[in-house]
Amino acid sequence: NICLKDEEVTPLILATILKKNEFIKEFFKIEKSKKFVKNKGIPSINVLSKYNNTALNFAILTFSEENKNDFDTINLLLNEGIDISIKNKGETNSLHLSIDQGHPDIFLALLKKASESKDFDKIVNSKCAKNESILFCAVDSYKFDKLSGIKIIDLIFKNIENINSLLEANSDGNTIITDTAERGTLEL
C-alpha cells in the first residue's frame, strides 16, 4: 500500500503504480513521436512528483515478488532511460530505495543500469540524507531482513570495485564497522 494523499502524480506515475504496462508503452511511443512537450526541459519520463519521486521510485515502492508484471514495469522504465540517480526530497535515490525495500533483484537491475552510465561512480557513491552510502543502507537493512540484506551486500562487493567512499562515516559519525558492532550484527 502506498499513500498518495498530498502527492501529485503524473499519468506515467499513476500507470506505474497501477502496473499498466501497455499504457506505459503507449506513453513512450507518443513521447518519441515528439507530441509531448518536455516539462521545463526535463524528459517526461523523469518528471517528478511533489516529493521528487520518479515513476521508478513508485514502481519500487509498490513492487510485489508475486507479480511478474511488477518487474516488467521496472525493466520497461529502465530500458526507456529513466534517471536512477534522481533523489527524492528524503535524499533517497532508486538504489537506496531498492535496498530499503529489501529487493535485491531490483538492486541488481539498477546496478547494471548504473554500470552503463559514465556517472557510475557518482551514482553508486551517492549518499542519502543521513550521509549513508548504499553499503551502509544494506548493512542497515540486514537487521530487518537478513536474507535480502546479505544478498545486497554481496552484490555490492561483487560489482563495485572502489568501495572506499562506501566505508565513510554517516552523519552520526558512525562507520559501518562501528555501526554493526553497536547493533550486534558483526557476523556481517
Side-chain angles (χ1 to χ4, degrees), residues 79-94:
N79 291 335
E80 289 297 330
I82 197 159
D83 186 345
I84 64 172
S85 68
I86 294 173
K87 291 183 175 184
N88 63 17
K89 288 197 176 178
E91 291 296 308
T92 302
N93 68 22
S94 301

Side-chain angles (χ1 to χ4, degrees), residues 98-153:
S98 67
I99 294 167
D100 291 343
Q101 297 295 307
H103 299 309
D105 293 338
I106 296 173
F107 179 79
L108 181 58
L110 295 172
L111 206 54
K112 285 180 180 176
K113 190 65 176 176
S115 72
E116 298 169 6
S117 170
K118 63 179 176 27
D119 295 325
F120 177 75
D121 288 334
K122 180 182 172 191
I123 294 168
V124 298
N125 290 313
S126 176
K127 306 285 195 290
C128 67
K130 291 173 57 180
N131 197 39
E132 293 178 346
S133 66
I134 57 173
L135 182 57
F136 216 116
C137 291
V139 168
D140 195 42
S141 75
Y142 176 81
K143 69 181 179 192
F144 300 111
D145 182 351
K146 289 186 185 219
L147 184 60
S148 293
I150 203 70
K151 283 182 181 177
I152 292 170
I153 292 166

